[in-house]
Structure formats: structure tokens, C-alpha cells
Amino acid sequence: MKLRRLMAGTLAATMVLGSSMMVFAADPQTGSATGSGESIGHVDKEVLAVTLPTEGDALNQTFAYKVDPERVIDLAGKLTDDTAVTKNADGVYFKNKDNTYSSSSDEVEFEGKNSVAVDVSVKAEVTASAGGKDIALVADDAALTAATTPALLMNLTVGTETKAITSDGATAQAKLEGVPDNFAVTVEGGAYKYSAKADATGWKTTTVKLSGKTNNMDVPSDMTAPQIKLTWTVAKHEDYTDATAHGNWSGANLWIAKDASTGFSTTGLTVEVSDGGTTYKTLATDKYSVNATGWVSTTWNNLVDGLGGNPEGNIFVRVTDGTTRYIFENK
């Protein structure tokens, strides 16, 4: 009897314990969890930094020059302050870092600290001396040889590109490749930063210099030489694709588009003009207009004004829209 009671108690306990594990359709059990989302945000990896030359009197003196078409310096072997100079056949003298003189300035360096390719552009602007008695600037060796009055061929070189500086100035540029391996993402002040490594090496460099030569002839005693100002800018390098533009004249107006039925963007355009299609000059925004369908309109007089005088060859008009340069040749 005691055994039966014990069994009954055991069975009853088993039934009670077992009943706590039973799930009935009428009593569903549910649960949930919510994870918050966080955006890390954008880390700009386009670093365009370039170490520029230090401005000041020393840099100004680097590009200061003397012109000597009569070759008086050569004959004397020295300057008027008795500084001895090495003769050169070019008739132009820049003072170099080693206190010698030559027909080229010292090269001034730009060192890239950039992660992506950039263009270093140097613009030369000419300021005429008061009185209008400056030596004439010419565009090439042929013009220098042909000149019958004192003339100066002054070249601007940036990297491997050389441009003659005329009274309208000149612009030359060089590409500096980026060095992304010199950069890393770090955490600074609780934020991500993309910056150059402390031990970064192998940065790319380029240089700018002036070099000149004159013809050989007598000069007026009061002849002067113009001032040349150099201004440099750095911008992200863009690879452009050239395409032929469509253009037609309607009365006094030249209309230009991508093709006979497609206009350009109505904003963000650059319009340039060239005599011969080699060197382009930016056309001022008051010298052209863009209509609602993206056609660019200008006049012959505006193009001539943009060139600074009547062309010697065919006029070319170049419209840059994004990374495509559309070129129209007026034949």
C-alpha cells in the first residue's frame, strides 16, 4: 500500500513537472530585440595638397631679369656693380642661387602631398612699364629672328610644358600624380581622418622657371622691360575627351552645339577661342550667351576681342561641358 502511494506521488510530480513544458496553440509565446543603426559617414579621400613656393622678396628676385640686346654685359664681363658674370649668347640674365647669372631662372619646386592626381597651373601676366618703351615680346624663334627692333622671347616652363610669354601672358601646367599609399585612415578626436602617414616618402614634384633670349641689336637708351607676374593654382586633374562641335552662322551670330540637335548644359560651361587651334584663351562671359536649349552664341567681334586682335589663321572655339571639350573650327 505504501509502495502504491509512493508511485502515485511520483507520477503526480512527473505530471506537474511535465505540464510546465507544454505549449498550447491558444497561448503563443513571443519575444523581440531591436538593434540600432549607425552610419559611419563619409571620409574624404581626395587630398589635393601641394607644397607651394614660399612667397616673398627672395622668390621675386628669382624671376627678376635683365635684357641686353647689345650684349654690353658680355663685352664688360660684369654688371654695373662690378659683379662678375659668365657670358651667355642669349642676352638675358637671371641671378641664380649660386650667385652666378644665366639666361634661365632657378627652378622653383612644387612638391605634391596629394592622394589623387592634380594639375599645377602657372599663369604669367605681363605688366607694361610706364611710358610704353618696353622691349617687344615675341611668340617664337622665327619672330625673334624676323624682328627689326629689339625683341625678347621669354618662355614659361612648368614641368615639361613650355609656353612663350607674349603681351597677353601665357599659362603652362604639369600633372602631379597622387600617392595614395602614403595615406591611411586613422581615428583622431573620436572621428575618422584620412591623412598622410608620418613616414610617407616618394611624393611627386614639378618645377616652374623662366628662360629668355633677345635678338642682337642696338637699343634706345630709355628702353625698358616689362614686369612678369606668376600666379599658380592647384586643381584636381581631369582627363578630357575632345569631340567635334556643330556650328553655324545666322547673320552676325555664330551658334554652337554638340551636334545639329543637341545643345550643351545650360550652366558650368567654359568657352575658349584660339587662333589656329593650339593655344586657347578663355572667352569672357559677356562675350557669349547660352540659350534655354544649351546652344552657345557669340559674334565675330567678340571672338576677335577674345583673341586680342584679328586672327592669322582659322578661329577655333572650344566649349568644355563636363569632361568633354567640343571644338568648332571656323573654316
Side-chain angles (χ1 to χ4, degrees):
M1 187 67 177
K2 290 181 179 180
L3 178 59
R4 291 178 178 175
R5 290 177 180 173
L6 179 59
M7 291 176 63
T10 300
L11 290 171
T14 300
M15 291 178 67
V16 171
L17 291 173
S19 67
S20 67
M21 298 174 63
M22 298 176 70
V23 178
F24 297 96
D27 297 312
Q29 292 186 331
T30 62
S32 65
T34 301
S36 61
E38 178 184 1
S39 173
I40 297 303
H42 174 67
V43 177
D44 188 3
K45 299 182 181 67
E46 290 190 354
V47 180
L48 309 182
V50 172
T51 301
L52 302 176
T54 302
E55 297 181 39
D57 289 340
L59 187 60
N60 292 340
Q61 288 303 311
T62 297
F63 298 114
Y65 66 97
K66 302 178 186 297
V67 292
D68 183 24
E70 291 188 12
R71 306 303 192 262
V72 175
I73 294 175
D74 284 4
L75 295 173
K78 61 178 66 176
L79 303 178
T80 54
D81 63 0
D82 283 334
T83 300
V85 298
T86 301
K87 299 177 182 180
N88 71 59
D90 294 325
V92 173
Y93 288 86
F94 291 90
K95 186 177 182 179
N96 301 134
K97 290 178 180 177
D98 57 2
N99 287 323
T100 62
Y101 285 80
S102 72
S103 58
S104 295
S105 73
D106 287 321
E107 293 184 336
V108 176
E109 185 178 81
F110 300 86
E111 183 180 24
K113 301 291 184 180
N114 47 312
S115 64
V116 296
V118 299
D119 288 325
V120 176
S121 298
V122 180
K123 179 180 180 181
E125 297 175 274
V126 176
T127 302
S129 304
K133 297 181 180 180
D134 283 344
I135 188 171
L137 289 165
V138 295
D140 52 37
D141 283 297
L144 185 65
T145 301
T148 57
T149 57
L152 168 65
L153 173 60
M154 183 66 78
N155 288 320
L156 165 69
T157 300
V158 181
T160 60
E161 184 175 49
T162 297
K163 295 288 186 67
I165 302 173
T166 66
S167 58
D168 294 323
T171 300
Q173 71 176 32
K175 178 183 177 183
L176 278 181
E177 295 288 354
V179 189
D181 289 344
N182 279 351
F183 291 81
V185 176
T186 60
V187 176
E188 297 178 23
Y192 291 108
K193 301 288 185 182
Y194 185 73
S195 54
K197 300 174 184 176
D199 59 351
T201 59
W203 299 110
K204 308 303 180 183
T205 62
T206 193
T207 58
V208 57
K209 72 174 183 178
L210 295 179
S211 57
K213 57 183 175 181
T214 69
N215 53 4
N216 190 345
M217 60 176 52
D218 291 343
V219 302
S221 59
D222 58 352
M223 188 186 77
T224 53
Q227 183 182 81
I228 299 174
K229 179 183 178 181
L230 302 181
T231 304
W232 34 81
T233 57
V234 177
K236 182 181 177 182
H237 175 77
E238 299 285 358
D239 289 313
Y240 291 98
T241 301
D242 288 341
T244 300
H246 172 81
N248 61 69
W249 288 91
S250 177
N253 295 316
L254 170 64
W255 291 90
I256 303 174
K258 293 181 180 180
D259 54 46
S261 59
T262 309
F264 303 106
S265 303
T266 55
T267 59
L269 300 178
T270 299
V271 181
E272 301 164 289
V273 61
S274 171
D275 180 1
T278 301
T279 302
Y280 282 85
K281 297 180 179 180
T282 301
L283 202 60
T285 55
D286 63 349
K287 299 296 183 182
Y288 69 91
S289 61
V290 184
N291 69 11
T293 57
W295 283 67
V296 171
S297 175
T298 186
T299 66
W300 177 261
N301 288 339
N302 284 341
L303 295 175
V304 171
D305 287 347
L307 290 173
N310 288 315
E312 296 180 359
N314 289 343
I315 280 186
F316 289 72
V317 181
R318 184 168 69 183
V319 180
T320 302
D321 189 358
T323 57
T324 302
R325 298 183 298 197
Y326 297 88
I327 301 170
F328 169 74
E329 179 181 1
N330 187 62
K331 299 180 179 179

